[in-house]
Amino acid sequence: MNFLERLSFDGIKRLLVALVALPVVLLVAQDHVFAEIYGIKDTSGNFQPRLNITIGNKEVVIKKVNPQDRFSSFAIVLNPKNAALVRNVGMLNMEWVNIAGKAGKEVQFAGPRYDPTTRRFEDAMGKSVELRILDKSNKNLFSGKSLSDLFEIRIDDQLLVSPESVLERDRPVQLGQGRDVSLNLDKQNIVFNESNFKKGEILNIDNRSGIPQVVGIELPEKGLLYYQVIKKPEQTKVPRDSWKKFTISPDSGVFVVMIPEPDPVQLTQVNGKDVIVRVYQGTSVKDTLKVPIRVSSDLVSAPLEVGGKSDFTGAQPQQKLSGTGQRAPENLEAASLPARQAGDAKSQTVKGALGTDAKIWILGLANLALIVALAGYVIFFMLPRIQVLQDRISKSEIFIHNSRESIREEIDEIKQDVLSRAPKPTEQD
C-alpha cells in the first residue's frame, strides 16, 4: 500500500520534474586553445625548453618537451589576483599521464600536496610525461586566460618563462621600443567576416614589462553594436570615462570585445577604422599602436570603399565622370543596384535571424507539447489504473482479515468442543 502510494505520487512528481528540466536549446561553445613552449634560462643566458603548455576552456595540459626529463620538484602556484581560480580550487582535478599515454586516476588539485596559505601545489614529476589540470566547475576558469593569468610554474626551484620573455629581458631598454613599451597585442588587424560577425572579435592587450603601464584605448564610435574593455584576470569592466587613460598592472592585461552592427550599411562605417592604443609616459604619449579594422566584402552587397580604396580587392569600380567632376552611374538601374543589393543583404540577414529564432521557438513549443502529452497520459491513463489496483488490494486485505477472524472463531469452537467431551478427573485420580 505504501509502495503504491509512493509510486503514484512521488514517482509522478519526479517524472514531471525530469521532463520540465529537459533543455530547450543546447548552446555549444567553441573552445579557444592556446599552446606555448616554456622553459628555463641557463647560466649562459640561453633558453632551455622544458614544457609544452596548452590552455583550453576546461583543461590545462602540461607536457614535457623531452619525455626523459626528471623533475625532482615540480610546483604550481595559483595567481593570487585570479580570485575566481583561488576560490574554486576545490573544483580542480589532476591526471598524471605516463609515457604510453595512459592517464591515471583523477585526484584533487587541492589535495595533501597543496598548501592553501601559499596557494602552492608541489610534487615530483619523474616517469610521468604529462599532467592535465581539469576544470570541473561550470565557470570556465581557464577560458581566454594566459599562463600568467592562472599559474606560476617552477621546476627544481627555477621559474618557467617563455622564450619571448627571455629575449625581452635581455634587450636593453630604449625609448619607444622593447621593454620600454612591452604591450603585447595578439592581433595585427581585425577582420569581420561571415564566421565571426555575430559573435564578434576579441583583442588581447597584455602588459609583460614588469612595471605598471598607463594606456589609453580609442574605439570607433560608429559601426559597432557592442564594444567593451575588460580587465584580466578579474573580468571587470573598465569604465568608459576611463578608457582615455588607465593603468594596466604588471603581468596583467585587458581584452577588448567588439561586435559589429548586423546592418551592411552600418558595417561600412567601421571598415577602415582603427583601434588605437596609446602608451603614456607621465603626461606625454610615449607610443601609439594602431590595429586596423576591415570588413569582408561577403558581408555587404558591393566592395566597400574607405578613403577611395576598395576593401580587399584593391580595384576601383569603373564609373564615368559627370560634368561636375563627380562619378555618375551609367543609368538609373545601375545607380539603384548597390542600394537594392544592400537592402537584399539586410533582408537576408534579418530573415536568417528570424529563421533561427523561429526554430528555437518551434523546438521550445515541441518540448512543451511533449511534456503536456506525457503529463496527460500519466493523469488520464496511469492514475485510474493505479487507483483500481489500490482498490483491489484493499478488498483482498479485507477478505484475508475476515477469513483470519473466521478461522480463529472456528478453532475456538473446536477447542471448546474437545474440552467438553474430555472425561472429568475424579477425586480418586
Side-chain angles (χ1 to χ4, degrees), residues 245-302:
K245 208 170 185 181
F246 64 95
T247 302
I248 300 180
S249 303
D251 294 324
S252 185
V254 298
F255 57 91
V256 183
V257 183
M258 291 167 284
I259 302 177
E261 290 280 0
D263 185 0
V265 176
Q266 297 185 39
L267 271 175
T268 60
Q269 300 178 358
V270 76
N271 185 54
K273 302 295 184 181
D274 296 319
V275 177
I276 302 175
V277 181
R278 295 183 177 91
V279 184
Y280 288 88
Q281 185 173 23
T283 58
S284 61
V285 177
K286 181 173 59 175
D287 200 4
T288 301
L289 309 173
K290 293 185 178 181
V291 180
I293 301 175
R294 296 289 180 264
V295 178
S296 176
S297 58
D298 59 3
L299 293 183
V300 292
S301 57

Side-chain angles (χ1 to χ4, degrees), residues 354-369:
L354 292 176
T356 303
D357 292 341
K359 291 178 181 178
I360 293 175
W361 279 104
I362 291 173
L363 183 59
L365 291 175
N367 263 344
L368 182 60

Side-chain angles (χ1 to χ4, degrees), residues 328-336:
E330 296 282 352
N331 46 51
L332 293 177
E333 182 179 359
S336 61

Side-chain angles (χ1 to χ4, degrees), residues 164-165 167-184 206-215 248 277-282 284-289:
E164 179 183 345
S165 65
L167 296 174
E168 189 73 14
R169 290 173 183 174
D170 290 342
R171 186 182 304 163
V173 176
Q174 298 178 4
L175 184 62
Q177 61 181 328
R179 290 172 53 203
D180 193 45
V181 177
S182 284
L183 279 184
N184 292 347
D206 295 312
N207 177 15
R208 303 294 174 80
S209 65
I211 60 173
Q213 295 277 11
V214 180
V215 301
I248 300 180
V277 181
R278 295 183 177 91
V279 184
Y280 288 88
Q281 185 173 23
S284 61
V285 177
K286 181 173 59 175
D287 200 4
T288 301
L289 309 173

Side-chain angles (χ1 to χ4, degrees), residues 27 49 77 110 156 161 164 185 217 221 274 310 321 336 339 346 348 388 392:
L27 299 176
V77 183
D156 297 332
V161 293
E164 179 183 345
L185 277 64
I217 297 177
E221 296 181 357
D274 296 319
S310 176
L321 293 176
S336 61
K346 181 178 179 180
Q348 289 176 0
V388 170
R392 289 180 179 176

